[in-house]
Amino acid sequence: MPSRVDDEKDSSMTISVLKAAVLELVRACEPLPKTIWVAYSGGLDSYLLLWVVVQLRSTLNIPFKAIHVHHGLQTEADAWAGHCQVVCESLSVPLLIEHAGVGEQVDKTGAAKGLEALARELRYAAFAKWVGAKDLLLLGHHLNDQAETVLLRLVRGTGVEGMAGMVGLCSNPVLCPGYIGRPWLKISKQVLREQALALGLKWVEDESNEDLRFDRNYIRHVLLPGIFNRWPSGLQALGRLAQLSGEHQAVLSGYLSESLCTLVDTKTAALRLDLLQQYEHIRQKALLRHWLITHTGIYPSHTLIEEIMQTVMGARKDAQPCVRWSQWQIRRYQQSLYILLAVQPPVPESKEWNCAQGVDMPWGERIIKWQGSDCESLQQLGLGRVRVQSRQVGQVESMTKSVNKRLKKIFQEHAVPPWQRDLWPLLFDSHQKLVSVPGLWQADCITSTFSGIKKVGFFWI
């Protein structure tokens, strides 16, 4: 019968394994992270991860913080945040609590099937708000989580990319500006639980993890137990499947990325259909899938790929088809595919701009600026002060039929997609005359005055 000394020795060895996994992952970051963030929900896995990082404080010699995302879904949410605060204070770890309410109710019919995905999106949005490009975000995902992910993606038909499961260390700017690290993907939940109990850690339990209406919970409580009962080594086998699929996908991604370089517009990130369709059908699907993953960080299902190829790519040339997917929409304009957020930014209100002062004008997510000449010359042209507005119908009096006709021609000549046109800034002088469509067109008074200067005028950058 094992002695207490043997138990303590085994526990010490396991803690060493947990520490080594974290150290190995951190040191694999090039360069080393400026700050380490531990995603701390208050649950067992994230608490143990936080505890291990604290033990490595002097070894790592890297500042670290904890971040807790408060979804407000359960009545205990405030208590969980308070628990995290108490724990972090006891460990002398700075804690940031970020509120990210889901705003969706779970009803008895299970109508909130999208709650898991929405909560995940909000979590990563919260992480992206604080985790810098040179930082590392640590997550407590383990081997059981990996097995769940593989099965979930299997039943959704996401292909080899999805079967690769979660990656131990990756850089995905779509989800988070910095590195995302999961050091314990090869360690089971049981091992983590045994260590947490041995250390006397007190964590919170989320009752919603027992709700079988959620896909991941159904896999965890119904499918996986049956698999492990029939195949005792099933957990390790699923982990190995994820690893092998990941290695296969890494090689395939290299080839696909090389091909995409010649198919994607460097300015708009749009996928050129005229070039894509030169490939055989099966390779078109692979390139389309890789393009979607690269720009969204989400693995598309087989059904989605087929829908895009038939509904969007297969539509007539003058059509403007659209497929909505998660928080994204896939649109086509002329011979290119575009990925856009499903919720587009609002059109800014009309503004007066004293551009002669040399101060740039924010517009949407970009800025308008005068380039190619000193701003004082604008005063001589009577353009020291202009009004910036969109072409949104009925917004202002200056949007006459002749102006709209001219704008339509300008946008078509520069292949500006229809959904971008209402947001594009338009500049009018004091006489309500259109003087610039920044980056696309300048009035004669500008082009003739600065005819000898290249790239002079108003630009939206």
Side-chain angles (χ1 to χ4, degrees), residues 259-280:
S259 297
L260 277 180
C261 287
T262 64
L263 305 179
V264 176
D265 186 292
T266 54
K267 292 183 179 180
T268 64
L271 181 61
R272 293 187 54 182
L273 296 180
D274 56 333
L275 299 179
L276 176 67
Q277 290 169 342
Q278 293 178 7
Y279 291 95
E280 64 272 23

Side-chain angles (χ1 to χ4, degrees), residues 68-114:
H68 174 83
V69 180
H70 188 314
H71 286 306
L73 283 173
Q74 284 82 21
T75 55
E76 303 91 343
D78 288 335
W80 295 343
H83 170 84
C84 292
Q85 187 70 60
V86 171
V87 169
C88 286
E89 288 176 357
S90 69
L91 296 173
S92 299
V93 175
L95 172 66
L96 176 69
I97 298 177
E98 179 70 15
H99 290 262
V102 172
E104 180 177 352
Q105 299 297 321
V106 181
D107 60 31
K108 294 181 180 179
T109 64
K113 283 286 187 179

Side-chain angles (χ1 to χ4, degrees), residues 312-328:
V312 183
M313 294 172 57
R316 65 181 191 275
K317 291 184 178 180
D318 61 342
Q320 296 178 24
C322 174
V323 169
R324 293 185 178 272
W325 167 51
S326 186
Q327 75 267 43
W328 305 93

Side-chain angles (χ1 to χ4, degrees), residues 439-450:
L440 305 180
W441 176 87
Q442 316 294 333
D444 290 341
C445 64
I446 297 175
T447 56
S448 60
T449 302
F450 302 100

